[in-house]
Amino acid sequence: MGAVVTTAVLVEQVLEGKREAIAKAITLVENRGRGFENLLAALERKGGNAFVLGVTGPPGTGKSTLVDRLIERFRKRGLKVAVVAVDPTSPITGGALLGDRVRMLKHATDRGVYIRSMASRGWRGGLAGSTSEVVQILDAAGTELVIIETVGIGQSDIEIVSVAHAVLVTVTPGLGDDIQVSKAGLLEIGDIFVVNKSDLEGADFMLTALLSMVREQKRQRPVIKVSALKDEGIDKLVEAVDGFRQTLTTPRGREIKLKSLRGMIVEMAKNEVMEGLNEKLVGNLPDRLAREVYDGRLDLREAARRLSRR
Ligand SMILES: Nc1nc2c(ncn2[C@@H]2O[C@H](COP(=O)(O)OP(=O)(O)O)[C@@H](O)[C@H]2O)c(=O)[nH]1
Ligand SMILES: [Mg+2]
């Protein structure tokens, strides 16, 4: 009973777009706290105006700096913006986090901007919520632009951006040019490519390389050279983002929305399975299976199958 009442109040405040309520709702969902399912159910179909932009690319390519520029631009036009920075759990890239927060801190007093960090994967304590659910909350809160920043190094990170309506991929000059892009499937998932750090040497070379890689594929997409640091080329990028944003309201928008919904459903389903593995539900099954595999009575794959079936 208590939980239901609390949820109703929270729902109301989220729908009003209150930042504190948004934060509370996301935390509730992340922690799988009491009433989180009611909350999500109540927020279902309450949004529909959010354009979700995924921003991915190798660490250090300037994603956060660029996101900061995008916040600036879209805020100037009065759009309500939210950023979900998906923290890599990897210690290699973890150092970039503090920088992100410090950089975006200048928006901290802007009521029209909501910035949230999420851990990408956590084993104990369950998943740190799913991106889809966070997007659902932000959308219901009236956010018009949701930016999901994630490090494009692994498959799992790339999956996170599959919930986006459009994906922006960042690269920089140097760093083994063609490799950065083709590696983690970035060439396939990108809708807009950004060669950042154009103030550095080799940017034109990277631009040419990227253009020819995109040309080799069936799908033509914009490749834009910018310097997030020097604030150069950003307007052209904003134009490209706007192009996608506007498409959402055209007949072709249905296709884009379907693709995003598909990404959300797959992500949520995966999380369900992961949660199932976390719960007391599985009990000592993993230990029992390990012993069976150790004794040669079961092969690994079958053991995994049995666990996932549970
Ligand atoms: N020279 C140059 N440096 C940049 C540019 N954009 C970002 N950086 C720097 O690159 C580093 C990594 O940027 P960050 O935004 O944290 O990258 P992320 O890991 O992709 O989010 C920081 O030191 C930035 O100041 C740029 O356009 N030119
Ligand atoms: Mg970053």
Side-chain angles (χ1 to χ4, degrees), residues 165-169 189-193 219-222 244 259:
H165 294 126
V167 177
L168 192 158
V169 171
I189 62 155
D191 296 301
I192 302 171
F193 293 95
R219 197 155 61 98
Q220 284 309 303
R221 286 149 298 169
F244 279 95
K259 193 176 140 262

Side-chain angles (χ1 to χ4, degrees), residues 228-270:
L229 193 69
K230 303 231 156 124
D231 201 355
E232 287 164 4
I234 306 296
D235 291 329
K236 208 172 159 207
L237 174 62
V238 168
E239 230 174 83
V241 172
D242 265 332
F244 279 95
R245 214 162 67 81
Q246 280 149 14
T247 308
L248 219 55
T249 54
T250 68
R252 222 188 80 68
R254 179 174 179 268
E255 232 174 276
I256 298 173
K257 284 177 181 164
L258 284 176
K259 193 176 140 262
S260 157
L261 283 174
R262 179 186 181 281
M264 285 190 175
I265 293 166
V266 171
E267 191 201 40
M268 284 172 151
K270 278 187 182 161

Side-chain angles (χ1 to χ4, degrees), residues 93-111:
T93 48
L97 277 183
L98 188 62
D100 285 2
R101 295 219 183 87
V102 170
R103 235 189 321 276
M104 293 179 187
L105 214 61
K106 68 173 185 230
H107 300 289
T109 53
D110 182 350
R111 306 292 299 172

Side-chain angles (χ1 to χ4, degrees), residues 57-65 67 85-86 88 93 96-97 99-101 103-104 149-151:
T61 48
K63 293 179 294 297
S64 301
T65 315
V67 166
V86 183
T93 48
L97 277 183
D100 285 2
R101 295 219 183 87
R103 235 189 321 276
M104 293 179 187
E149 179 192 330
T150 177
V151 179

